[in-house]
Amino acid sequence: MKIALTSVEKKDVINGTVKIPEKTSYIKKNAFNGLTDLKTITIPKSVKKINRFAFYNCKNLKSIKFCSIPEIGSDAFTGCPVKEVVLNSFLKVNLQTYKDLRYIFITLLLF
Protein backbone atom coordinates (compact mmCIF):
# COMPACT_ATOMS: atom_id res chain seq x y z
CA MET A 1 0.00 0.00 0.00
CA LYS A 2 1.40 3.39 -1.01
CA ILE A 3 1.13 6.18 1.53
CA ALA A 4 1.39 9.77 0.30
CA LEU A 5 2.43 12.90 2.12
CA THR A 6 -0.03 15.34 0.59
CA SER A 7 0.24 18.60 2.49
CA VAL A 8 2.39 20.11 5.21
CA GLU A 9 1.43 23.29 7.06
CA LYS A 10 3.40 25.89 8.97
CA LYS A 11 2.25 24.37 12.29
CA ASP A 12 3.94 21.09 11.29
CA VAL A 13 7.39 22.73 11.17
CA ILE A 14 9.16 22.29 14.53
CA ASN A 15 12.65 23.71 15.05
CA GLY A 16 13.03 24.28 11.31
CA THR A 17 12.20 20.73 10.23
CA VAL A 18 9.31 18.35 9.60
CA LYS A 19 9.30 14.71 10.61
CA ILE A 20 8.18 12.70 7.59
CA PRO A 21 6.53 9.47 8.78
CA GLU A 22 8.66 6.37 8.10
CA LYS A 23 5.87 4.64 6.14
CA THR A 24 5.51 7.48 3.62
CA SER A 25 6.13 6.14 0.11
CA TYR A 26 5.92 9.37 -1.88
CA ILE A 27 5.62 13.14 -1.50
CA LYS A 28 2.91 14.74 -3.61
CA LYS A 29 3.17 17.82 -5.79
CA ASN A 30 3.26 21.06 -3.74
CA ALA A 31 3.26 19.18 -0.40
CA PHE A 32 5.74 21.63 1.17
CA ASN A 33 5.07 24.56 -1.19
CA GLY A 34 6.13 27.91 0.27
CA LEU A 35 6.97 26.72 3.82
CA THR A 36 9.35 29.51 4.75
CA ASP A 37 10.00 28.09 8.25
CA LEU A 38 11.47 24.87 6.80
CA LYS A 39 15.29 24.86 7.08
CA THR A 40 16.26 21.18 6.96
CA ILE A 41 14.54 17.99 5.84
CA THR A 42 15.37 14.31 6.05
CA ILE A 43 13.77 12.11 3.39
CA PRO A 44 13.29 8.65 4.94
CA LYS A 45 14.26 5.42 3.19
CA SER A 46 10.59 4.55 2.60
CA VAL A 47 10.12 7.52 0.20
CA LYS A 48 10.53 6.26 -3.35
CA LYS A 49 9.32 9.36 -5.21
CA ILE A 50 9.27 13.12 -4.71
CA ASN A 51 6.83 14.69 -7.16
CA ARG A 52 7.26 17.93 -9.10
CA PHE A 53 7.23 21.13 -7.08
CA ALA A 54 7.07 19.18 -3.79
CA PHE A 55 9.33 21.70 -2.01
CA TYR A 56 8.70 24.62 -4.37
CA ASN A 57 9.65 28.01 -2.98
CA CYS A 58 10.77 26.85 0.48
CA LYS A 59 12.94 29.95 0.68
CA ASN A 60 14.88 28.93 3.81
CA LEU A 61 15.49 25.24 3.03
CA LYS A 62 19.27 24.92 3.37
CA SER A 63 19.90 21.21 3.96
CA ILE A 64 18.41 17.97 2.56
CA LYS A 65 19.33 14.48 3.76
CA PHE A 66 18.37 11.51 1.60
CA CYS A 67 18.30 8.10 3.34
CA SER A 68 17.77 6.30 0.00
CA ILE A 69 17.70 7.06 -3.71
CA PRO A 70 14.23 8.38 -4.58
CA GLU A 71 12.92 9.37 -7.97
CA ILE A 72 12.87 13.16 -7.99
CA GLY A 73 10.43 15.06 -10.19
CA SER A 74 11.53 18.10 -12.15
CA ASP A 75 11.48 21.38 -10.24
CA ALA A 76 10.96 19.52 -6.94
CA PHE A 77 13.34 21.95 -5.18
CA THR A 78 12.95 25.06 -7.37
CA GLY A 79 13.21 28.25 -5.33
CA CYS A 80 15.11 26.58 -2.48
CA PRO A 81 18.54 28.02 -1.55
CA VAL A 82 19.94 24.61 -0.57
CA LYS A 83 23.59 24.65 0.41
CA GLU A 84 24.01 21.05 1.55
CA VAL A 85 22.74 17.73 0.22
CA VAL A 86 23.65 14.72 2.34
CA LEU A 87 23.49 11.27 0.77
CA ASN A 88 24.06 7.84 2.25
CA SER A 89 24.69 6.34 -1.18
CA PHE A 90 25.31 7.46 -4.73
CA LEU A 91 22.50 9.59 -6.16
CA LYS A 92 22.13 10.44 -9.83
CA VAL A 93 20.00 13.54 -10.26
CA ASN A 94 18.63 15.08 -13.41
CA LEU A 95 20.29 18.49 -13.47
CA GLN A 96 16.96 20.14 -14.30
CA THR A 97 15.68 18.91 -10.93
CA TYR A 98 18.19 21.15 -9.19
CA LYS A 99 18.29 24.00 -11.68
CA ASP A 100 17.69 26.61 -8.97
CA LEU A 101 19.87 25.05 -6.30
CA ARG A 102 23.04 27.06 -6.03
CA TYR A 103 26.28 26.28 -4.20
CA ILE A 104 25.46 22.66 -3.38
CA PHE A 105 27.97 20.84 -1.22
CA ILE A 106 27.54 17.06 -1.30
CA THR A 107 28.53 14.93 1.65
CA LEU A 108 28.56 11.19 1.01
CA LEU A 109 27.68 9.09 4.02
CA LEU A 110 28.44 5.46 3.33
CA PHE A 111 26.86 3.16 5.85
Side-chain angles (χ1 to χ4, degrees):
M1 183 162 118
K2 293 184 179 181
I3 299 173
L5 180 63
T6 58
S7 179
V8 179
E9 299 176 7
K10 185 174 181 172
K11 66 178 179 62
D12 300 320
V13 180
I14 299 171
N15 295 325
T17 193
V18 171
K19 172 81 169 132
I20 298 174
E22 286 294 325
K23 294 184 179 185
T24 303
S25 40
Y26 65 101
I27 300 172
K28 290 189 85 171
K29 181 179 178 180
N30 295 314
F32 289 82
N33 189 346
L35 276 183
T36 56
D37 291 346
L38 186 65
K39 296 177 182 174
T40 66
I41 193 75
T42 297
I43 310 297
K45 192 174 190 173
S46 61
V47 173
K48 303 301 180 204
K49 183 174 183 178
I50 300 172
N51 284 303
R52 295 185 67 195
F53 302 108
F55 291 88
Y56 182 76
N57 228 10
C58 291
K59 295 182 181 274
N60 292 306
L61 182 59
K62 305 280 192 234
S63 177
I64 306 166
K65 179 181 179 188
F66 292 97
C67 295
S68 67
I69 305 172
E71 175 185 341
I72 301 174
S74 64
D75 301 312
F77 295 96
T78 296
C80 301
V82 173
K83 293 184 179 182
E84 178 181 64
V85 176
V86 180
L87 311 169
N88 70 351
S89 58
F90 187 70
L91 176 65
K92 289 186 179 179
V93 178
N94 176 345
L95 290 178
Q96 181 182 1
T97 302
Y98 290 102
K99 70 181 179 183
D100 283 350
L101 297 181
R102 293 176 176 88
Y103 313 109
I104 295 178
F105 300 100
I106 298 179
T107 303
L108 294 177
L109 297 178
L110 302 174
F111 293 98

